Amino acid sequence: MAKVVRLYWGYMVAAALVVAWSQQWALPVIVALSVGVSAYAGFQVPVWCGAVNRDGRTYCRNNAYGVLMGCSKRQHRWQKIKMIVLRSKVGNVSRSVFPTAKEKFNGALAVGGLLSAVAAVIVPVVTGG
């Protein structure tokens, strides 16, 4: 049970974030939950690596942690982040970072967490509350 909680705690934080927005909790709590969800999805959620193999056509199917991180192979660790930055590799990002529905969901979770954090900071400034 402890291993399951350690691997999937971010989904519980995402559920708490939904409750926090619907119940209008304090903004620091919402920001903290948002950052936690984004960090979990980006760097800790269990996924496939998805980095491009040496043949240039297939993708690594080793276990990895986080949508942005690679597996234990040294070449794969930062390859996905490099693909986002390098202009010639941007076309391969969606195939390597989001090869399955699970990775697409986790990517949406990461983006949602970031948008939530931004909204929690900007909304009070705009509304004066």
Side-chain angles (χ1 to χ4, degrees), residues 39-106:
Y40 172 76
F43 300 105
Q44 194 176 1
V45 66
V47 293
W48 287 341
C49 174
V52 179
N53 289 324
R54 290 184 185 214
D55 64 6
R57 294 175 295 163
T58 59
Y59 299 98
C60 180
R61 302 243 342 216
N62 291 338
N63 293 331
Y65 291 101
V67 172
L68 298 176
M69 301 304 292
C71 64
S72 61
K73 293 182 180 176
R74 184 169 35 116
Q75 297 90 344
H76 294 182
R77 287 191 188 133
W78 293 99
Q79 184 180 7
K80 291 197 274 186
I81 293 176
K82 287 180 191 175
M83 281 192 300
I84 293 170
V85 174
L86 297 176
R87 183 172 293 240
S88 64
K89 302 288 186 180
V90 171
N92 296 332
V93 171
S94 65
R95 286 188 301 258
S96 65
V97 176
F98 309 117
T100 65
K102 181 180 178 184
E103 280 81 7
K104 289 175 185 164
F105 174 76
N106 290 324

Side-chain angles (χ1 to χ4, degrees), residues 8-57:
Y8 299 107
W9 64 268
Y11 295 116
M12 293 180 277
V13 174
L17 180 61
V18 170
V19 171
W21 273 108
S22 66
Q23 299 294 321
Q24 297 178 349
W25 289 2
L27 291 176
V29 173
I30 292 175
V31 170
L33 290 172
S34 301
V35 169
V37 167
S38 296
Y40 172 76
F43 300 105
Q44 194 176 1
V45 66
V47 293
W48 287 341
C49 174
V52 179
N53 289 324
R54 290 184 185 214
D55 64 6
R57 294 175 295 163

